[in-house]
Amino acid sequence: MSFNRHSINKKRQRNDRWSRYVVTGFGGLVLLTLVILITHLVSQALPLAYIPSIQFISTFEVGKPERIISAGDVISGQPLLVQKENCRLGLKVLDNQVLTTKHDYIRPCDYALTTHHALGENYIVDVSPNAQVRVIPVRGFDMLSNTSHEEHASSEMSSSSFHHHIAFALPKDRWNSRSDWRIALSSKWIVFAIVQDSSLFVRWVNRKRPTNIIDKTFTDVNDFLLMPGSESLLLRTDNGLYFNRVRDEANVLTVITTEIGDAEVDYSNDSVSLFALAKHRTFFLADTSSHQVSRWVLSQSDNGLTFSESYRLTLNEGETVRDVAEHASMNLVALLTTKQRIILINRVSGEQVKTQGISAQPYQIIWFGDKLYGISDKALTIWQGKHLSGITTWSSLFSPQHYEGYDSEETVWQTTSASDFQEAKFSLTPLLIGSTKASLLALLIAIPVAIGAAIYTAFFAKNKLRNVLKPAIELLEAIPSVLIGFIAAIWLAPKAEQFLFSFAFFLVVVPFVLLAVATVQRPVAEKLPKKLRHGAELLFAISGVFMLGFVSVEFAPQFILSLFDTDTFTLLAGESSSPIGKTTIVVAIALGLAISPSIYSLAEDAINGVPSDLKHASFALGATRLQTLIHVVLHVALPGIVAAIMLGFGRAFGETMIVLMVTGNTPISSWGLIEGLRALTANLAIELPEADVSSAHYQILFFTACILFLFTFLMNTLAELIRQKVRGRVFLG
């Protein structure tokens, strides 16, 4: 008998030991999963904290008769363009780490021949003695690779090798191949400028409608900058800096600036240099005398578009900018200075993130992907960019910035994954405001409903009624949030647009209606049969709410409109760009209903867990049920109620589907109730599938995921600590 008992005990111990191993193992897997999740989030966002830099790769030189005039991404197979003898333009490609001529572009020596770089692409520009201009994009080297070098050198470049060339004519009386001339391209315009003595002739040609030609002539111009992307022309004269738009007459000049820093700029000499970015919506002004560089962006003003200064940089003594190059997909600008330095700055905030000395002496720099090319007459120097997404700074993420096209500093989230050389707006402020605003307003709706229901079922209701109501309310927590979002988007949003004033009136008046119902329900309930008295308060409350809803829909809009005029509503609404059905009020209603069951469940447990001895002692001292509720029950259960509210706030902050389906997803930095919003969670769901892996956009999205995870983790942890504390207090009591 003792042997069997011993055998049973050993079997039990063995089962307990294996159960402990299994439970411990699965618990360890949960912790391991959490660690992997956190590690992945941090690892994807960590490159934003690295300092960007450039690392030398190699230098390629050309022979004595040749001179480099432009370059493509040579390492990726694009050509290097060199000026050769006999008026030829040579195109070289990298073959086994050696620059080899693949073609010669041949024109008679009375032709004017040069190259132009625009939006990451090189063009060959030749002008005939008869003032006929041809602009040819350099492409198609896959077709040239099957042709011998001798055939290339002995013939003119065939039209099949280059695509979509552009041709137009200049006035013959204006053209002189010995004159100073420049050309610039955008997606819509080609602008050609000719300097003759003290005059400047400019011809605008519409690329989509070549017959649309605009000619202008200016006088007393010291220097100029062609900016077809913004349909404008910058002119530097003795009196200052001006710009002229394509639709303006030649005599219409708008002044841009008269000073930089604390000293007035002398525009009459050559100490001032102008550098335009690819889209021609931003230019840099460098002044050698003051050693300062300022950034000017196209801005909206009362008089239309103009250029406004956004920030300034100060260089070393005797140093000025030689060239400016912007990255195609990041807010990164490289400044090449005369002191053989390359300064990497954030193009939005102007912060100098990295300054690096170089041994080469290029006069031009160009970004191709993550490689920076430096061009001099005889050498092409290539650097590899490292951790370029680290150009993102705290200021660019959270502080207001002066973006292109805006009249003042703003906080804007607007990515540019579909367009190169576009200024990306990565301000997280609108997303944080959206998440916080939606969560706080959801709490304003959920707290009265959830806490009121918890107080009723835990303190006033009989156990029989409580056992029915509590599971029914908690069952609402199982409803998928996507279903709540679907109902809100399909039914509630159109109703909100139709009954906006009704919703507002209902939310404001409902507390007073419930107080009135509570006042009259007891005398009425005493006249009912005993079986119907208990629980009758629910019927009274529901009836009062339904009556208020009817009054709100039928009579409230006319009553509210009669109290205020149209101008008052316009002032309250502001310049709302969101549809009424996609405003914060609708989001708050849907999100408040979604988090109410979870707040109710935890708060009800805290209130119901208050020891009965405390309540009985209060009654024995002559306190009423309401006094006992306020001064005893709620006082003891307050930590648990606060924990429930914090958990509800954390869930609202991390909610995705409701804010994704109902808000309209407009990233607006506004606390207005009739404005739309975009939450952090919705932004992740929308943009993460479209972001390029390892791009700055991708890493910033993971950074927002880290913020979201950290916030919800801290909120839930703090709420659980408070909950455990109050549970221990109740147990000890």
Side-chain angles (χ1 to χ4, degrees), residues 443 447 451 595 598-599 602 638-653 711-723:
L443 285 182
I447 288 176
I451 302 301
I595 65 175
S598 58
I599 297 177
L602 297 175
L638 183 60
I641 296 175
V642 172
I645 294 174
M646 292 176 63
L647 286 173
F649 182 70
R651 185 192 168 185
F653 200 88
F711 179 83
T712 54
F713 180 80
L714 292 177
M715 290 294 294
N716 292 342
T717 302
L718 185 59
E720 185 62 25
L721 291 176
I722 296 175
R723 184 184 177 188

PDB file of all heavy atoms in Angstrom, residues 443 447 451 595 598-599 602 638-653 711-723:
ATOM      1  N   LEU A 443     -11.611  59.480 -24.167  1.00  0.00           N
ATOM      2  CA  LEU A 443     -11.761  59.327 -22.716  1.00  0.00           C
ATOM      3  C   LEU A 443     -12.894  60.185 -22.176  1.00  0.00           C
ATOM      4  O   LEU A 443     -13.605  59.774 -21.241  1.00  0.00           O
ATOM      5  CB  LEU A 443     -10.454  59.692 -22.014  1.00  0.00           C
ATOM      6  CG  LEU A 443      -9.310  58.675 -22.089  1.00  0.00           C
ATOM      7  CD1 LEU A 443      -8.111  59.181 -21.308  1.00  0.00           C
ATOM      8  CD2 LEU A 443      -9.744  57.321 -21.548  1.00  0.00           C
ATOM      9  N   ILE A 447     -15.196  57.771 -20.129  1.00  0.00           N
ATOM     10  CA  ILE A 447     -15.137  57.812 -18.660  1.00  0.00           C
ATOM     11  C   ILE A 447     -16.521  57.953 -18.031  1.00  0.00           C
ATOM     12  O   ILE A 447     -16.877  57.174 -17.126  1.00  0.00           O
ATOM     13  CB  ILE A 447     -14.174  58.935 -18.194  1.00  0.00           C
ATOM     14  CG1 ILE A 447     -12.738  58.537 -18.486  1.00  0.00           C
ATOM     15  CG2 ILE A 447     -14.354  59.213 -16.711  1.00  0.00           C
ATOM     16  CD1 ILE A 447     -11.726  59.614 -18.157  1.00  0.00           C
ATOM     17  N   ILE A 451     -17.401  54.508 -16.197  1.00  0.00           N
ATOM     18  CA  ILE A 451     -17.344  54.622 -14.737  1.00  0.00           C
ATOM     19  C   ILE A 451     -18.757  54.660 -14.149  1.00  0.00           C
ATOM     20  O   ILE A 451     -19.023  54.074 -13.089  1.00  0.00           O
ATOM     21  CB  ILE A 451     -16.548  55.869 -14.321  1.00  0.00           C
ATOM     22  CG1 ILE A 451     -15.126  55.808 -14.905  1.00  0.00           C
ATOM     23  CG2 ILE A 451     -16.500  55.994 -12.812  1.00  0.00           C
ATOM     24  CD1 ILE A 451     -14.328  54.606 -14.473  1.00  0.00           C
ATOM     25  N   ILE A 595     -13.399  51.685 -26.227  1.00  0.00           N
ATOM     26  CA  ILE A 595     -12.597  51.484 -25.021  1.00  0.00           C
ATOM     27  C   ILE A 595     -13.449  51.458 -23.756  1.00  0.00           C
ATOM     28  O   ILE A 595     -12.935  51.123 -22.682  1.00  0.00           O
ATOM     29  CB  ILE A 595     -11.527  52.586 -24.892  1.00  0.00           C
ATOM     30  CG1 ILE A 595     -12.171  53.961 -24.673  1.00  0.00           C
ATOM     31  CG2 ILE A 595     -10.624  52.602 -26.112  1.00  0.00           C
ATOM     32  CD1 ILE A 595     -11.172  55.068 -24.412  1.00  0.00           C
ATOM     33  N   SER A 598     -13.513  47.959 -21.664  1.00  0.00           N
ATOM     34  CA  SER A 598     -12.301  47.632 -20.904  1.00  0.00           C
ATOM     35  C   SER A 598     -12.172  48.518 -19.668  1.00  0.00           C
ATOM     36  O   SER A 598     -11.772  48.035 -18.590  1.00  0.00           O
ATOM     37  CB  SER A 598     -11.062  47.790 -21.798  1.00  0.00           C
ATOM     38  OG  SER A 598     -10.985  49.104 -22.312  1.00  0.00           O
ATOM     39  N   ILE A 599     -12.498  49.799 -19.785  1.00  0.00           N
ATOM     40  CA  ILE A 599     -12.470  50.671 -18.611  1.00  0.00           C
ATOM     41  C   ILE A 599     -13.521  50.220 -17.598  1.00  0.00           C
ATOM     42  O   ILE A 599     -13.268  50.175 -16.390  1.00  0.00           O
ATOM     43  CB  ILE A 599     -12.694  52.139 -19.029  1.00  0.00           C
ATOM     44  CG1 ILE A 599     -11.564  52.625 -19.939  1.00  0.00           C
ATOM     45  CG2 ILE A 599     -12.810  53.041 -17.800  1.00  0.00           C
ATOM     46  CD1 ILE A 599     -11.747  54.030 -20.442  1.00  0.00           C
ATOM     47  N   LEU A 602     -12.428  46.878 -15.535  1.00  0.00           N
ATOM     48  CA  LEU A 602     -11.430  47.079 -14.494  1.00  0.00           C
ATOM     49  C   LEU A 602     -11.957  47.967 -13.370  1.00  0.00           C
ATOM     50  O   LEU A 602     -11.699  47.718 -12.184  1.00  0.00           O
ATOM     51  CB  LEU A 602     -10.170  47.687 -15.110  1.00  0.00           C
ATOM     52  CG  LEU A 602      -9.452  46.814 -16.146  1.00  0.00           C
ATOM     53  CD1 LEU A 602      -8.303  47.577 -16.771  1.00  0.00           C
ATOM     54  CD2 LEU A 602      -8.952  45.526 -15.521  1.00  0.00           C
ATOM     55  N   LEU A 638     -10.222  54.356  -5.889  1.00  0.00           N
ATOM     56  CA  LEU A 638      -9.685  55.341  -6.825  1.00  0.00           C
ATOM     57  C   LEU A 638      -8.439  54.855  -7.573  1.00  0.00           C
ATOM     58  O   LEU A 638      -8.343  55.054  -8.793  1.00  0.00           O
ATOM     59  CB  LEU A 638      -9.385  56.645  -6.077  1.00  0.00           C
ATOM     60  CG  LEU A 638      -8.885  57.808  -6.961  1.00  0.00           C
ATOM     61  CD1 LEU A 638      -9.923  58.154  -8.015  1.00  0.00           C
ATOM     62  CD2 LEU A 638      -8.544  59.013  -6.111  1.00  0.00           C
ATOM     63  N   PRO A 639      -7.451  54.236  -6.902  1.00  0.00           N
ATOM     64  CA  PRO A 639      -6.291  53.755  -7.676  1.00  0.00           C
ATOM     65  C   PRO A 639      -6.677  52.764  -8.768  1.00  0.00           C
ATOM     66  O   PRO A 639      -6.132  52.813  -9.873  1.00  0.00           O
ATOM     67  CB  PRO A 639      -5.402  53.101  -6.608  1.00  0.00           C
ATOM     68  CG  PRO A 639      -5.777  53.791  -5.348  1.00  0.00           C
ATOM     69  CD  PRO A 639      -7.250  54.048  -5.451  1.00  0.00           C
ATOM     70  N   GLY A 640      -7.614  51.876  -8.480  1.00  0.00           N
ATOM     71  CA  GLY A 640      -8.061  50.938  -9.501  1.00  0.00           C
ATOM     72  C   GLY A 640      -8.794  51.625 -10.637  1.00  0.00           C
ATOM     73  O   GLY A 640      -8.652  51.246 -11.803  1.00  0.00           O
ATOM     74  N   ILE A 641      -9.582  52.651 -10.314  1.00  0.00           N
ATOM     75  CA  ILE A 641     -10.292  53.397 -11.360  1.00  0.00           C
ATOM     76  C   ILE A 641      -9.291  54.153 -12.236  1.00  0.00           C
ATOM     77  O   ILE A 641      -9.422  54.192 -13.468  1.00  0.00           O
ATOM     78  CB  ILE A 641     -11.314  54.358 -10.718  1.00  0.00           C
ATOM     79  CG1 ILE A 641     -12.394  53.555  -9.986  1.00  0.00           C
ATOM     80  CG2 ILE A 641     -11.937  55.261 -11.769  1.00  0.00           C
ATOM     81  CD1 ILE A 641     -13.373  54.411  -9.212  1.00  0.00           C
ATOM     82  N   VAL A 642      -8.282  54.760 -11.585  1.00  0.00           N
ATOM     83  CA  VAL A 642      -7.248  55.467 -12.352  1.00  0.00           C
ATOM     84  C   VAL A 642      -6.498  54.503 -13.255  1.00  0.00           C
ATOM     85  O   VAL A 642      -6.191  54.814 -14.416  1.00  0.00           O
ATOM     86  CB  VAL A 642      -6.284  56.179 -11.387  1.00  0.00           C
ATOM     87  CG1 VAL A 642      -5.095  56.760 -12.153  1.00  0.00           C
ATOM     88  CG2 VAL A 642      -7.008  57.283 -10.631  1.00  0.00           C
ATOM     89  N   ALA A 643      -6.198  53.300 -12.746  1.00  0.00           N
ATOM     90  CA  ALA A 643      -5.531  52.297 -13.572  1.00  0.00           C
ATOM     91  C   ALA A 643      -6.393  51.904 -14.762  1.00  0.00           C
ATOM     92  O   ALA A 643      -5.892  51.732 -15.883  1.00  0.00           O
ATOM     93  CB  ALA A 643      -5.195  51.067 -12.722  1.00  0.00           C
ATOM     94  N   ALA A 644      -7.694  51.768 -14.538  1.00  0.00           N
ATOM     95  CA  ALA A 644      -8.600  51.432 -15.638  1.00  0.00           C
ATOM     96  C   ALA A 644      -8.612  52.528 -16.693  1.00  0.00           C
ATOM     97  O   ALA A 644      -8.591  52.252 -17.906  1.00  0.00           O
ATOM     98  CB  ALA A 644     -10.009  51.206 -15.087  1.00  0.00           C
ATOM     99  N   ILE A 645      -8.623  53.776 -16.253  1.00  0.00           N
ATOM    100  CA  ILE A 645      -8.614  54.897 -17.210  1.00  0.00           C
ATOM    101  C   ILE A 645      -7.297  54.934 -17.972  1.00  0.00           C
ATOM    102  O   ILE A 645      -7.276  55.179 -19.190  1.00  0.00           O
ATOM    103  CB  ILE A 645      -8.855  56.222 -16.455  1.00  0.00           C
ATOM    104  CG1 ILE A 645     -10.267  56.235 -15.868  1.00  0.00           C
ATOM    105  CG2 ILE A 645      -8.652  57.414 -17.380  1.00  0.00           C
ATOM    106  CD1 ILE A 645     -10.551  57.440 -14.985  1.00  0.00           C
ATOM    107  N   MET A 646      -6.199  54.685 -17.286  1.00  0.00           N
ATOM    108  CA  MET A 646      -4.896  54.692 -17.960  1.00  0.00           C
ATOM    109  C   MET A 646      -4.804  53.579 -18.991  1.00  0.00           C
ATOM    110  O   MET A 646      -4.283  53.780 -20.096  1.00  0.00           O
ATOM    111  CB  MET A 646      -3.782  54.549 -16.920  1.00  0.00           C
ATOM    112  CG  MET A 646      -3.646  55.759 -15.996  1.00  0.00           C
ATOM    113  SD  MET A 646      -2.407  55.510 -14.715  1.00  0.00           S
ATOM    114  CE  MET A 646      -0.933  55.320 -15.707  1.00  0.00           C
ATOM    115  N   LEU A 647      -5.312  52.384 -18.652  1.00  0.00           N
ATOM    116  CA  LEU A 647      -5.316  51.299 -19.625  1.00  0.00           C
ATOM    117  C   LEU A 647      -6.211  51.629 -20.817  1.00  0.00           C
ATOM    118  O   LEU A 647      -5.881  51.317 -21.966  1.00  0.00           O
ATOM    119  CB  LEU A 647      -5.777  50.006 -18.955  1.00  0.00           C
ATOM    120  CG  LEU A 647      -4.766  49.333 -18.022  1.00  0.00           C
ATOM    121  CD1 LEU A 647      -5.416  48.169 -17.290  1.00  0.00           C
ATOM    122  CD2 LEU A 647      -3.552  48.850 -18.806  1.00  0.00           C
ATOM    123  N   GLY A 648      -7.331  52.273 -20.544  1.00  0.00           N
ATOM    124  CA  GLY A 648      -8.193  52.696 -21.637  1.00  0.00           C
ATOM    125  C   GLY A 648      -7.530  53.731 -22.518  1.00  0.00           C
ATOM    126  O   GLY A 648      -7.654  53.687 -23.755  1.00  0.00           O
ATOM    127  N   PHE A 649      -6.794  54.661 -21.896  1.00  0.00           N
ATOM    128  CA  PHE A 649      -6.066  55.660 -22.682  1.00  0.00           C
ATOM    129  C   PHE A 649      -4.978  55.003 -23.527  1.00  0.00           C
ATOM    130  O   PHE A 649      -4.764  55.383 -24.688  1.00  0.00           O
ATOM    131  CB  PHE A 649      -5.461  56.696 -21.745  1.00  0.00           C
ATOM    132  CG  PHE A 649      -4.722  57.794 -22.455  1.00  0.00           C
ATOM    133  CD1 PHE A 649      -5.402  58.741 -23.195  1.00  0.00           C
ATOM    134  CD2 PHE A 649      -3.339  57.875 -22.378  1.00  0.00           C
ATOM    135  CE1 PHE A 649      -4.723  59.754 -23.850  1.00  0.00           C
ATOM    136  CE2 PHE A 649      -2.653  58.887 -23.023  1.00  0.00           C
ATOM    137  CZ  PHE A 649      -3.351  59.830 -23.765  1.00  0.00           C
ATOM    138  N   GLY A 650      -4.288  54.018 -22.941  1.00  0.00           N
ATOM    139  CA  GLY A 650      -3.265  53.311 -23.711  1.00  0.00           C
ATOM    140  C   GLY A 650      -3.848  52.559 -24.888  1.00  0.00           C
ATOM    141  O   GLY A 650      -3.266  52.543 -25.972  1.00  0.00           O
ATOM    142  N   ARG A 651      -5.020  51.950 -24.692  1.00  0.00           N
ATOM    143  CA  ARG A 651      -5.645  51.248 -25.805  1.00  0.00           C
ATOM    144  C   ARG A 651      -6.120  52.226 -26.878  1.00  0.00           C
ATOM    145  O   ARG A 651      -5.990  51.977 -28.070  1.00  0.00           O
ATOM    146  CB  ARG A 651      -6.828  50.424 -25.312  1.00  0.00           C
ATOM    147  CG  ARG A 651      -7.421  49.584 -26.451  1.00  0.00           C
ATOM    148  CD  ARG A 651      -8.744  48.968 -26.138  1.00  0.00           C
ATOM    149  NE  ARG A 651      -9.348  48.437 -27.356  1.00  0.00           N
ATOM    150  CZ  ARG A 651     -10.547  47.913 -27.429  1.00  0.00           C
ATOM    151  NH1 ARG A 651     -11.283  47.842 -26.348  1.00  0.00           N
ATOM    152  NH2 ARG A 651     -11.019  47.463 -28.575  1.00  0.00           N
ATOM    153  N   ALA A 652      -6.672  53.351 -26.448  1.00  0.00           N
ATOM    154  CA  ALA A 652      -7.119  54.354 -27.420  1.00  0.00           C
ATOM    155  C   ALA A 652      -5.935  54.907 -28.202  1.00  0.00           C
ATOM    156  O   ALA A 652      -6.023  55.129 -29.418  1.00  0.00           O
ATOM    157  CB  ALA A 652      -7.861  55.478 -26.703  1.00  0.00           C
ATOM    158  N   PHE A 653      -4.805  55.137 -27.524  1.00  0.00           N
ATOM    159  CA  PHE A 653      -3.617  55.663 -28.199  1.00  0.00           C
ATOM    160  C   PHE A 653      -3.066  54.665 -29.212  1.00  0.00           C
ATOM    161  O   PHE A 653      -2.512  55.059 -30.237  1.00  0.00           O
ATOM    162  CB  PHE A 653      -2.556  55.993 -27.153  1.00  0.00           C
ATOM    163  CG  PHE A 653      -1.501  56.953 -27.633  1.00  0.00           C
ATOM    164  CD1 PHE A 653      -1.687  58.313 -27.511  1.00  0.00           C
ATOM    165  CD2 PHE A 653      -0.327  56.486 -28.200  1.00  0.00           C
ATOM    166  CE1 PHE A 653      -0.723  59.209 -27.947  1.00  0.00           C
ATOM    167  CE2 PHE A 653       0.642  57.368 -28.644  1.00  0.00           C
ATOM    168  CZ  PHE A 653       0.448  58.727 -28.519  1.00  0.00           C
ATOM    169  N   PHE A 711       5.242  54.314 -25.322  1.00  0.00           N
ATOM    170  CA  PHE A 711       4.155  54.988 -24.615  1.00  0.00           C
ATOM    171  C   PHE A 711       3.150  53.983 -24.068  1.00  0.00           C
ATOM    172  O   PHE A 711       2.785  54.028 -22.891  1.00  0.00           O
ATOM    173  CB  PHE A 711       3.458  55.964 -25.566  1.00  0.00           C
ATOM    174  CG  PHE A 711       2.306  56.691 -24.939  1.00  0.00           C
ATOM    175  CD1 PHE A 711       2.512  57.822 -24.182  1.00  0.00           C
ATOM    176  CD2 PHE A 711       1.001  56.232 -25.104  1.00  0.00           C
ATOM    177  CE1 PHE A 711       1.454  58.493 -23.591  1.00  0.00           C
ATOM    178  CE2 PHE A 711      -0.063  56.889 -24.524  1.00  0.00           C
ATOM    179  CZ  PHE A 711       0.161  58.021 -23.760  1.00  0.00           C
ATOM    180  N   THR A 712       2.684  53.072 -24.907  1.00  0.00           N
ATOM    181  CA  THR A 712       1.693  52.095 -24.450  1.00  0.00           C
ATOM    182  C   THR A 712       2.283  51.160 -23.394  1.00  0.00           C
ATOM    183  O   THR A 712       1.585  50.770 -22.451  1.00  0.00           O
ATOM    184  CB  THR A 712       1.173  51.278 -25.636  1.00  0.00           C
ATOM    185  OG1 THR A 712       2.291  50.699 -26.353  1.00  0.00           O
ATOM    186  CG2 THR A 712       0.401  52.160 -26.602  1.00  0.00           C
ATOM    187  N   PHE A 713       3.561  50.803 -23.547  1.00  0.00           N
ATOM    188  CA  PHE A 713       4.198  49.932 -22.560  1.00  0.00           C
ATOM    189  C   PHE A 713       4.267  50.621 -21.198  1.00  0.00           C
ATOM    190  O   PHE A 713       3.955  50.015 -20.161  1.00  0.00           O
ATOM    191  CB  PHE A 713       5.600  49.548 -23.042  1.00  0.00           C
ATOM    192  CG  PHE A 713       6.344  48.651 -22.089  1.00  0.00           C
ATOM    193  CD1 PHE A 713       6.074  47.288 -22.058  1.00  0.00           C
ATOM    194  CD2 PHE A 713       7.311  49.149 -21.234  1.00  0.00           C
ATOM    195  CE1 PHE A 713       6.750  46.445 -21.186  1.00  0.00           C
ATOM    196  CE2 PHE A 713       7.986  48.325 -20.357  1.00  0.00           C
ATOM    197  CZ  PHE A 713       7.706  46.968 -20.335  1.00  0.00           C
ATOM    198  N   LEU A 714       4.678  51.879 -21.171  1.00  0.00           N
ATOM    199  CA  LEU A 714       4.751  52.608 -19.907  1.00  0.00           C
ATOM    200  C   LEU A 714       3.372  52.807 -19.294  1.00  0.00           C
ATOM    201  O   LEU A 714       3.195  52.651 -18.074  1.00  0.00           O
ATOM    202  CB  LEU A 714       5.436  53.963 -20.124  1.00  0.00           C
ATOM    203  CG  LEU A 714       6.931  53.919 -20.476  1.00  0.00           C
ATOM    204  CD1 LEU A 714       7.457  55.323 -20.731  1.00  0.00           C
ATOM    205  CD2 LEU A 714       7.729  53.243 -19.372  1.00  0.00           C
ATOM    206  N   MET A 715       2.387  53.151 -20.118  1.00  0.00           N
ATOM    207  CA  MET A 715       1.041  53.361 -19.596  1.00  0.00           C
ATOM    208  C   MET A 715       0.469  52.075 -19.014  1.00  0.00           C
ATOM    209  O   MET A 715      -0.098  52.066 -17.911  1.00  0.00           O
ATOM    210  CB  MET A 715       0.134  53.896 -20.702  1.00  0.00           C
ATOM    211  CG  MET A 715       0.434  55.317 -21.137  1.00  0.00           C
ATOM    212  SD  MET A 715       0.103  56.540 -19.852  1.00  0.00           S
ATOM    213  CE  MET A 715      -1.661  56.390 -19.709  1.00  0.00           C
ATOM    214  N   ASN A 716       0.612  50.979 -19.731  1.00  0.00           N
ATOM    215  CA  ASN A 716       0.071  49.708 -19.254  1.00  0.00           C
ATOM    216  C   ASN A 716       0.810  49.216 -18.012  1.00  0.00           C
ATOM    217  O   ASN A 716       0.197  48.667 -17.089  1.00  0.00           O
ATOM    218  CB  ASN A 716       0.148  48.661 -20.360  1.00  0.00           C
ATOM    219  CG  ASN A 716      -0.774  48.965 -21.519  1.00  0.00           C
ATOM    220  OD1 ASN A 716      -1.712  49.750 -21.383  1.00  0.00           O
ATOM    221  ND2 ASN A 716      -0.512  48.369 -22.671  1.00  0.00           N
ATOM    222  N   THR A 717       2.133  49.407 -18.006  1.00  0.00           N
ATOM    223  CA  THR A 717       2.907  48.982 -16.842  1.00  0.00           C
ATOM    224  C   THR A 717       2.520  49.785 -15.602  1.00  0.00           C
ATOM    225  O   THR A 717       2.310  49.224 -14.516  1.00  0.00           O
ATOM    226  CB  THR A 717       4.408  49.137 -17.116  1.00  0.00           C
ATOM    227  OG1 THR A 717       4.764  48.367 -18.270  1.00  0.00           O
ATOM    228  CG2 THR A 717       5.221  48.669 -15.924  1.00  0.00           C
ATOM    229  N   LEU A 718       2.415  51.088 -15.759  1.00  0.00           N
ATOM    230  CA  LEU A 718       2.039  51.929 -14.623  1.00  0.00           C
ATOM    231  C   LEU A 718       0.627  51.599 -14.143  1.00  0.00           C
ATOM    232  O   LEU A 718       0.373  51.545 -12.928  1.00  0.00           O
ATOM    233  CB  LEU A 718       2.131  53.404 -15.034  1.00  0.00           C
ATOM    234  CG  LEU A 718       1.878  54.444 -13.936  1.00  0.00           C
ATOM    235  CD1 LEU A 718       2.879  54.266 -12.798  1.00  0.00           C
ATOM    236  CD2 LEU A 718       1.953  55.856 -14.500  1.00  0.00           C
ATOM    237  N   ALA A 719      -0.280  51.371 -15.078  1.00  0.00           N
ATOM    238  CA  ALA A 719      -1.644  51.019 -14.691  1.00  0.00           C
ATOM    239  C   ALA A 719      -1.681  49.686 -13.948  1.00  0.00           C
ATOM    240  O   ALA A 719      -2.417  49.522 -12.963  1.00  0.00           O
ATOM    241  CB  ALA A 719      -2.531  50.960 -15.929  1.00  0.00           C
ATOM    242  N   GLU A 720      -0.895  48.726 -14.406  1.00  0.00           N
ATOM    243  CA  GLU A 720      -0.877  47.424 -13.736  1.00  0.00           C
ATOM    244  C   GLU A 720      -0.269  47.525 -12.346  1.00  0.00           C
ATOM    245  O   GLU A 720      -0.732  46.859 -11.400  1.00  0.00           O
ATOM    246  CB  GLU A 720      -0.093  46.428 -14.591  1.00  0.00           C
ATOM    247  CG  GLU A 720      -0.096  45.000 -14.056  1.00  0.00           C
ATOM    248  CD  GLU A 720      -1.495  44.403 -14.002  1.00  0.00           C
ATOM    249  OE1 GLU A 720      -2.372  44.849 -14.776  1.00  0.00           O
ATOM    250  OE2 GLU A 720      -1.702  43.482 -13.182  1.00  0.00           O
ATOM    251  N   LEU A 721       0.756  48.362 -12.186  1.00  0.00           N
ATOM    252  CA  LEU A 721       1.341  48.555 -10.857  1.00  0.00           C
ATOM    253  C   LEU A 721       0.326  49.165  -9.895  1.00  0.00           C
ATOM    254  O   LEU A 721       0.215  48.743  -8.736  1.00  0.00           O
ATOM    255  CB  LEU A 721       2.584  49.442 -10.955  1.00  0.00           C
ATOM    256  CG  LEU A 721       3.800  48.835 -11.661  1.00  0.00           C
ATOM    257  CD1 LEU A 721       4.919  49.855 -11.769  1.00  0.00           C
ATOM    258  CD2 LEU A 721       4.281  47.583 -10.933  1.00  0.00           C
ATOM    259  N   ILE A 722      -0.401  50.152 -10.378  1.00  0.00           N
ATOM    260  CA  ILE A 722      -1.438  50.760  -9.540  1.00  0.00           C
ATOM    261  C   ILE A 722      -2.516  49.742  -9.203  1.00  0.00           C
ATOM    262  O   ILE A 722      -3.013  49.672  -8.069  1.00  0.00           O
ATOM    263  CB  ILE A 722      -2.038  51.981 -10.258  1.00  0.00           C
ATOM    264  CG1 ILE A 722      -0.979  53.071 -10.438  1.00  0.00           C
ATOM    265  CG2 ILE A 722      -3.229  52.532  -9.490  1.00  0.00           C
ATOM    266  CD1 ILE A 722      -1.455  54.259 -11.240  1.00  0.00           C
ATOM    267  N   ARG A 723      -2.864  48.938 -10.193  1.00  0.00           N
ATOM    268  CA  ARG A 723      -3.911  47.917  -9.972  1.00  0.00           C
ATOM    269  C   ARG A 723      -3.459  46.895  -8.936  1.00  0.00           C
ATOM    270  O   ARG A 723      -4.243  46.505  -8.055  1.00  0.00           O
ATOM    271  CB  ARG A 723      -4.223  47.247 -11.304  1.00  0.00           C
ATOM    272  CG  ARG A 723      -5.350  46.243 -11.248  1.00  0.00           C
ATOM    273  CD  ARG A 723      -5.490  45.581 -12.590  1.00  0.00           C
ATOM    274  NE  ARG A 723      -6.509  44.552 -12.575  1.00  0.00           N
ATOM    275  CZ  ARG A 723      -6.729  43.706 -13.567  1.00  0.00           C
ATOM    276  NH1 ARG A 723      -5.993  43.769 -14.650  1.00  0.00           N
ATOM    277  NH2 ARG A 723      -7.672  42.806 -13.490  1.00  0.00           N
TER     278      ARG A 723
END
